[in-house]
Amino acid sequence: MPLHSSGEAPAPSSSSPYSLSSLKTEILSGLTVALALVPEAVAFAFVAHVHPLVGLYAAFIVGLITALFGGRPGMISGATGALAVVMVSLVVTHGVEYLFATVVLMGILQVAFGVLRWGKFIRMVPHPVMLGFVNGLAIVIFLAQLTQFKTPDPVSGDMMWLQGYDMALMLGLVGLTMLVVWGLPKITNIVPAPLAGILVVSGVVIGLGLEVNTVGDMASIAGGLPQFHIPMVPLSLETLQIIFPYALILAAIGLIESLLTLNLVSEMTGKRGGASKECLAQGAANIVTGFFGGMGGCAMIGQSMINVKSGGRTRIAGTCAALFLLIFILFASPLIEQIPLAALVGVMFMVVVGTFAWNTFKILHKIPKTDAIVIALVTGVTVYSDLAVAVVVGVIVSALAYAWNASKRIAAQTTVNSEGQKIYKLEGPLFFGSASGFQEIFDPLGDPNDVIVDFINSRVVDHSALEAIDALATRYEAQGKTLHLRHLTPDCKRLLKRAGRMVEVSVLEDPSYGVAVDYHGEIDVPQPQKA
């Protein structure tokens, strides 16, 4: 899935990732990301109904810890909208202290997921779901920027679109930023294109004295160092009952978004990431964040794309981004607050262009209809609901589609050997989806007294398969006939053994490779014997 845009900076050509040239690229990439993090963190803090510094502290702490210890160098983490929309009801109902306690518990759950190595289950996310995730998140990032094209109505206070000159100026500055981000890499890679776009537009606005919205118009970002703070909530079962559902949802959403972003960054950089390691890093970061007055966070696909496209490939860029963010809070807030929002919107629009998988439109008519439906479904649910629901829905639909297709592949070739035994050589897996078709293959009334079911090209997968075998044996037994199974794989044998009185395992005439199930006699699982 080629997701690279023309604005992506190539990886440093030096053989050493820590050469002077590479370090410059990593540091400048980190600065670019930090500038883009500020309005995002402030906006998500507003969404969650908390102070802007709560979002900025989360961006700094989560970003720093995951940059140092995460599973994929190059990823950027911080406060995200996907988490903020879940937090808002908790904050409104119970207050910000319960949010801090929830973030700590969220981190503990994520660490537990990492210890249990559950991150590996991200491999079960099919490629159509990944495409839908990328496209949906690109649309979400695009829609989030549209709020900067609105202003409060002076009478009603409702948000309304900019009009006339103000809209034209905003569009012009956004377009200029996008032009710089697109065109600069064609000339030079000395400075990351997004950073150059921000600096050029900021220079134009400040130099010409243009009246546009700036970062400072959103909120002041000035503050001190985050202070250690134990959440002021009662240590009681009632508190746990309040925060646990939120913590579980936040942990799941955070890990899903982080692991999918990890896969995307890994694909773009050509290097694999560690899913379980990322779970541990995200969990540790959120635990620390909760004790230092942050709103928690996870991987940010937009900022991660900015970092990768600016040339950030190591942990240096992410670490620098977090440290620059802290510097902004402590010392440089007057400068950062002068940055026009139009420049940051332009950068994010280029992220949207580079993130959206435009080849989706070319392949929709070439791939199976089910995959096309999954792509559209996940994209839509991501936009209108949230990422976690979209991924779960996509995986379920993909799994059901696979089960339906696999259920139609059960078939058998029949032969009769020299001893008069009829052999059904199965093709395809036997599981809940194919159990009904399995029954239709056989003819207990017309078959000879001995029937062999050969599983050399099939597998017994689940309990429904065992029930199907048991029902088939009952049908043959009612006709006074015997059913045998052979060529079972070791895991199938173990499944049959655990089935108890449903089946009996015995050895047929070919003990060197086959085990069979005979539905007559006592339950016994003897070891294979030599002929």
Side-chain angles (χ1 to χ4, degrees), residues 470 496-504 519 521-524:
D470 193 53
L496 292 171
K497 183 176 180 180
R498 289 197 299 268
R501 291 190 170 274
M502 288 180 61
V503 294
E504 176 191 352
Y519 286 83
E522 298 296 326
I523 302 301
D524 188 21

Side-chain angles (χ1 to χ4, degrees), residues 42 72 112 122 143 157 256 289 518:
V42 172
R72 173 65 261 165
I122 199 67
L143 295 176
I256 290 173
T289 302
D518 190 334

Side-chain angles (χ1 to χ4, degrees), residues 38-187:
V38 173
E40 297 280 305
V42 172
F44 296 146
F46 285 153
V47 170
H49 288 206
V50 296
H51 192 279
L53 283 177
V54 175
L56 291 168
Y57 287 154
F60 161 63
I61 297 172
V62 174
L64 180 62
I65 294 176
T66 55
L68 291 173
F69 306 107
R72 173 65 261 165
M75 280 178 58
I76 303 295
S77 296
T80 63
L83 300 182
V85 295
V86 177
M87 297 172 179
V88 59
S89 62
L90 174 65
V91 175
V92 170
T93 306
H94 300 283
V96 71
E97 293 294 331
Y98 277 84
L99 172 61
F100 297 150
T102 301
V103 171
V104 172
L105 181 56
M106 163 191 173
I108 293 172
L109 292 174
Q110 290 177 327
V111 169
F113 295 158
V115 171
L116 296 172
R117 305 185 70 81
W118 286 358
K120 62 187 177 183
F121 289 110
I122 199 67
R123 301 172 189 167
M124 296 178 64
V125 177
H127 190 67
V129 176
M130 275 292 297
L131 275 177
F133 154 75
V134 169
N135 293 343
L137 223 48
I139 295 172
V140 169
I141 293 172
F142 172 79
L143 295 176
Q145 309 312 310
L146 297 183
T147 57
Q148 306 304 334
F149 292 85
K150 297 180 179 181
T151 186
D153 185 281
V155 178
S156 65
D158 296 334
M159 298 300 292
M160 57 179 290
W161 293 102
L162 295 173
Q163 301 294 322
Y165 170 78
D166 291 336
M167 177 62 84
L169 180 59
M170 182 70 176
L171 289 173
L173 294 174
V174 169
L176 176 59
T177 306
M178 296 177 70
L179 180 63
V180 172
V181 174
W182 172 79
L184 185 64
K186 301 179 183 300
I187 303 172

Side-chain angles (χ1 to χ4, degrees), residues 445-486:
L445 185 62
D447 283 345
N449 290 333
D450 270 337
V451 174
I452 298 174
V453 184
D454 192 336
F455 281 85
I456 193 168
N457 294 324
S458 181
R459 292 189 59 166
V460 178
V461 177
D462 58 12
H463 181 258
S464 296
L466 293 175
E467 288 286 356
I469 295 172
D470 193 53
L472 182 65
T474 301
R475 291 169 60 194
Y476 276 98
E477 189 175 20
Q479 300 296 326
K481 300 174 182 179
T482 304
L483 184 71
H484 305 277
L485 308 184
R486 74 178 181 189

Side-chain angles (χ1 to χ4, degrees), residues 128-129 360 363-378 394 397-398 400-402 404-405 408:
V129 176
T360 302
I363 66 173
L364 279 179
H365 66 284
K366 300 178 182 179
I367 60 178
K369 291 182 179 180
T370 304
D371 288 345
I373 291 172
V374 169
I375 293 173
L377 180 64
V378 174
V397 172
S398 297
L400 291 176
Y402 169 79
W404 175 257
N405 291 330
K408 298 183 291 184

